[in-house]
Amino acid sequence: MKNSRVCGLALRFNYDDPESFRSELRAILDEEDLSREDIGVLVALDFAYSQTFDETGVFDFSDVESELLAEGIYSLAYFFARNSEDKIAYLVSKLAVDLIAEECGKEQEINLKILHMMTSFEMGFGDETLSLFAELVKLEEYVPTQKRFEYYNDLGLVSTQLQTGDNPWKFYERAKEVAESPVRMLMVQLNMIDYLYSKNRFAEAIKLLDQVEGCNVVSINGYKLMINLKILLQMNDLSRAAVIAEQLESLINSHIEWTDIAVSYIFLGHFYVKSGNISRAENYLNQLKSLPDESMTSYIKGETLILEASIMQVKGEHFKALENSVGAFESLTLYSTTSPHLKDFVNNLFESISSVFRQLIRELRLKDDYTALHTLRVLKICYEFGKELDLEKIDLFNLSIGAMLHDYGKVDIPFNTLNKPSSLTEEEFTEIMRHPVYGERYLSDLNFPKAVRDIVRHHHERIDGNGYPDGLKGDEIHTLVQIVAAADVFDALTTDRPYRKAITKARALEYLEEKGDQLISKGLLTRFIEFSQRKEISVKEEEITVLWRSIISELFK
């Protein structure tokens, strides 16, 4: 695709109005000496534009040779991918697979499905990627000779980073057999090193990497430096990482057009966080945030949030770090933990959340030892009960966060009021009743999911309308809120307080059977009582790290 006007029209795809687009396309056809590839790209542009925006095309597609259209779509999607227009590359390749792939010969069908598998992968669409992977594995005998390297290498990449059930190494070995050039051989060697990295085999990965020679291709050298840097970061070898970071920065400064520049910003940012240079880390964070929307795939968005959370955590901004961790999970939930990039994410997410909550528990213990351990017990009850209810993963995660935060507003209640050994005065009880509002206040400026904010504010609401602070009733109270409310009451009844002794588990369950339908819905109450009869929940402060590791691991099963 060499014609500059064709390239220019392609880059206007996403924002040009239909008449201007068609007018320029006709002008190019009339005025330019075009190669077959350029004509194919113009046909593909017209096809994609007419299908996307429901417009009449310039070409009569019934007269267009199907092979020419398939070639053009392949070239067009590849052009968009090279120019960091991943969303448009995905759109174009999807149109091809949905509308024309089955009408082509096997070779063209395979070409288009390989391309769409990789554009789906880049966009973070895990299910779609896996579906195409499964189709392509069955088409091995039809793969043309000139496509075999790409076929095996791309299957290796997908099976490295998603749960396919296949061994990526076998695909990479086959890719090496058909590489036919030093650059391709180097590419597959680096992918094999990335696979070792994904399996935490860092020593093997760095040893093999040290044996790999460089080349004159910027993208390959950049990829090698990025792999080197992230391995050294996992090995905590900051002195060697500093050398690699300097080389990577030099490459970036001299080749700003490099398409993987965003990923390099991520790992450079984490290097500077680890080495204590927060201002440099913030510089790379700002570079990521200034990227155009079309470059912000779900992976880049998620990793940007995690880098920001890491910086916030160092600066002591725990609630903001937690907000970013939640947002990062939502961006990256389709990935598998076998992905080396996601493994970084999971590790960072775990460290961020567990560190934030360790700090919260310390702050609560300074204020009120009972509330701190009560919080941990309620968290564990809610998490275990939520699993029994087969909650969606994101609901289980939000339930766990809400349970962890539900009583945090008590840090604003005077110590003497919280721990008064006798009955509270009306004024003191009114102050205690404000703690859900105080807790929500800490989240008010943060973009927590509504379910988390509801738990913090409404965990003392009652299904009969006699709760506080808003007097909600019935279906106005979210199921996740009701779960925390039940766990909160059950734990309060079965533990000692300054003003009364704990009652037995059996008596607490009798109380719930008698009064529980005033607390939560009958169906949920029955399930909670049955669960509580079977389970014994106890937790110590030092267990919080193990508990959150379990919670986060559950998200990525």
Side-chain angles (χ1 to χ4, degrees):
M1 189 167 161
K2 298 177 181 178
N3 187 286
S4 60
R5 288 182 70 181
V6 176
C7 293
L9 183 62
L11 293 173
R12 288 161 52 186
F13 179 90
N14 210 28
Y15 62 85
D16 224 346
D17 68 272
E19 190 51 47
S20 296
F21 188 87
R22 288 195 297 263
S23 176
E24 174 63 5
L25 196 152
R26 291 191 187 97
I28 293 172
L29 285 170
D30 292 340
E31 299 166 10
E32 298 289 324
D33 182 18
L34 301 170
S35 66
R36 175 182 171 86
E37 181 185 14
D38 289 328
I39 294 172
V41 169
L42 288 176
V43 172
L45 269 171
D46 191 32
F47 176 78
Y49 201 91
S50 62
Q51 291 291 330
T52 302
F53 300 107
D54 196 23
E55 296 285 342
T56 302
V58 171
F59 292 94
D60 181 352
F61 297 111
S62 62
D63 292 337
V64 173
E65 178 189 344
S66 61
E67 186 175 338
L68 177 65
L69 178 55
E71 291 173 359
I73 285 183
Y74 185 89
S75 296
L76 179 61
Y78 194 75
F79 169 81
F80 283 133
R82 284 203 324 270
N83 284 275
S84 299
E85 298 275 5
D86 291 325
K87 294 176 184 176
I88 307 178
Y90 167 81
L91 169 69
V92 172
S93 65
K94 182 172 177 58
L95 284 172
V97 168
D98 288 349
L99 300 177
I100 70 169
E102 300 296 335
E103 300 174 7
C104 302
K106 280 294 182 193
E107 290 188 10
Q108 288 289 5
E109 179 188 350
I110 289 168
N111 279 351
L112 294 173
K113 286 184 174 178
I114 290 174
L115 179 67
H116 190 46
M117 178 180 72
M118 296 313 293
T119 59
S120 300
F121 174 72
E122 290 296 332
M123 290 299 297
F125 300 149
D127 292 342
E128 195 167 2
T129 305
L130 291 172
S131 176
L132 287 157
F133 178 92
E135 287 184 49
L136 285 164
V137 167
K138 297 174 183 177
L139 295 173
E140 182 176 9
E141 64 182 291
Y142 301 105
V143 179
T145 301
Q146 68 273 19
K147 294 296 294 184
R148 286 190 170 269
F149 174 79
E150 182 181 347
Y151 173 81
Y152 290 127
N153 190 56
D154 288 351
L155 291 182
L157 283 170
V158 170
S159 58
T160 293
Q161 301 194 38
L162 297 178
Q163 296 276 16
T164 68
D166 294 86
N167 180 5
W169 205 261
K170 70 177 182 182
F171 294 121
Y172 289 141
E173 288 289 358
R174 291 174 188 173
K176 284 172 66 177
E177 291 171 6
V178 295
E180 294 184 346
S181 77
V183 170
R184 284 184 165 186
M185 183 64 74
L186 183 55
M187 185 187 305
V188 74
Q189 285 176 318
L190 292 175
N191 288 339
M192 294 171 89
I193 292 166
D194 212 13
Y195 169 71
L196 293 174
Y197 166 84
S198 77
K199 295 298 182 183
N200 294 331
R201 292 158 64 177
F202 305 126
E204 292 176 67
I206 206 74
K207 183 178 180 180
L208 185 56
L209 187 62
D210 288 341
Q211 298 170 5
V212 172
E213 297 181 1
C215 70
N216 295 324
V217 179
V218 171
S219 59
I220 298 294
N221 281 337
Y223 183 33
K224 180 182 177 183
L225 289 169
M226 281 195 302
I227 292 175
N228 204 340
L229 180 58
K230 67 184 183 180
I231 293 171
L232 293 172
L233 288 177
Q234 289 293 324
M235 298 174 74
N236 288 313
D237 190 343
L238 294 184
S239 58
R240 290 180 67 186
V243 175
I244 300 301
E246 184 178 352
Q247 294 174 6
L248 184 55
E249 287 176 320
S250 177
L251 183 144
I252 291 170
N253 292 333
S254 57
H255 297 89
I256 58 173
E257 76 287 354
W258 180 33
T259 56
D260 283 333
I261 202 165
V263 183
S264 69
Y265 291 162
I266 290 164
F267 291 111
L268 285 167
H270 283 299
F271 164 72
Y272 284 114
V273 169
K274 278 201 167 189
S275 59
N277 192 334
I278 299 304
S279 63
R280 292 288 292 275
E282 288 177 322
N283 175 61
Y284 283 111
L285 175 64
N286 292 333
Q287 297 265 37
L288 286 163
K289 287 184 171 183
S290 66
L291 290 172
D293 289 343
E294 57 269 19
S295 298
M296 294 298 285
T297 63
S298 47
Y299 167 69
I300 298 297
K301 285 179 182 176
E303 281 287 6
T304 299
L305 287 169
I306 284 300
L307 175 58
E308 187 170 28
S310 299
I311 293 170
M312 290 171 174
Q313 186 173 316
V314 171
K315 296 167 74 172
E317 298 172 358
H318 302 300
F319 280 100
K320 290 183 179 180
L322 181 56
E323 172 201 353
N324 276 45
S325 298
V326 174
F329 164 74
E330 292 173 346
S331 292
L332 294 168
T333 187
L334 287 176
Y335 285 85
S336 157
T337 50
T338 56
S339 161
H341 294 161
L342 187 61
K343 193 161 292 177
D344 283 346
F345 158 72
V346 172
N347 288 338
N348 288 330
L349 179 62
F350 165 69
E351 290 300 332
S352 178
I353 288 179
S354 60
S355 175
V356 166
F357 285 147
R358 283 195 299 269
Q359 178 64 22
L360 294 181
I361 290 299
R362 281 194 293 270
E363 290 174 7
L364 281 171
R365 290 206 80 161
L366 288 172
K367 188 73 176 184
D368 177 27
D369 191 61
Y370 171 81
T371 299
L373 292 177
H374 164 74
T375 293
L376 289 180
R377 289 190 298 270
V378 169
L379 163 62
K380 194 166 184 180
I381 292 169
C382 289
Y383 174 63
E384 295 292 342
F385 184 47
K387 285 200 296 182
E388 288 217 1
L389 294 175
D390 289 326
L391 294 179
E392 294 290 333
K393 289 182 178 182
I394 188 61
D395 287 334
L396 184 60
F397 188 58
N398 288 338
L399 173 65
S400 300
I401 293 175
M404 192 73 205
L405 295 172
H406 82 281
D407 266 351
Y408 190 73
K410 287 184 177 179
V411 297
D412 283 354
I413 306 295
F415 175 84
N416 291 338
T417 302
L418 282 177
N419 293 277
K420 189 174 180 180
S422 57
S423 298
L424 296 170
T425 66
E426 183 176 347
E427 184 178 289
E428 289 168 335
F429 187 66
T430 299
E431 178 67 8
I432 288 281
M433 290 172 64
R434 292 193 181 107
H435 80 268
V437 177
Y438 295 157
E440 187 197 28
R441 184 175 64 193
Y442 285 102
L443 309 183
S444 60
D445 295 328
L446 304 176
N447 190 28
F448 276 90
K450 185 176 184 298
V452 174
R453 290 182 279 116
D454 282 350
I455 289 169
V456 173
R457 183 177 179 92
H458 295 143
H459 65 279
H460 281 288
E461 301 289 355
R462 298 295 179 251
I463 207 82
D464 63 0
N466 289 320
Y468 60 87
D470 299 316
L472 302 182
K473 61 182 178 180
D475 292 341
E476 294 174 331
I477 307 172
H478 194 286
T479 299
L480 300 186
V481 176
Q482 293 185 49
I483 292 171
V484 175
D488 188 30
V489 169
F490 179 74
D491 185 72
L493 290 172
T494 54
T495 51
D496 289 337
R497 297 306 320 271
Y499 52 87
R500 62 151 176 81
K501 289 290 186 180
I503 63 175
T504 65
K505 176 179 174 179
R507 181 68 190 95
L509 292 176
E510 286 176 12
Y511 174 85
L512 287 177
E513 287 176 347
E514 294 169 8
K515 305 288 188 180
D517 59 355
Q518 301 168 17
L519 171 66
I520 61 175
S521 66
K522 288 185 178 180
L524 192 62
L525 175 65
T526 300
R527 295 287 300 273
F528 184 80
I529 291 173
E530 189 275 332
F531 161 81
S532 300
Q533 286 171 336
R534 290 184 290 103
K535 291 281 187 176
E536 292 291 340
I537 300 293
S538 63
V539 66
K540 299 177 182 177
E541 182 179 348
E542 56 267 25
E543 291 181 60
I544 187 170
T545 298
V546 174
L547 182 56
W548 273 102
R549 187 179 293 280
S550 298
I551 292 169
I552 294 171
S553 296
E554 189 74 25
L555 293 172
F556 293 96
K557 279 186 178 178

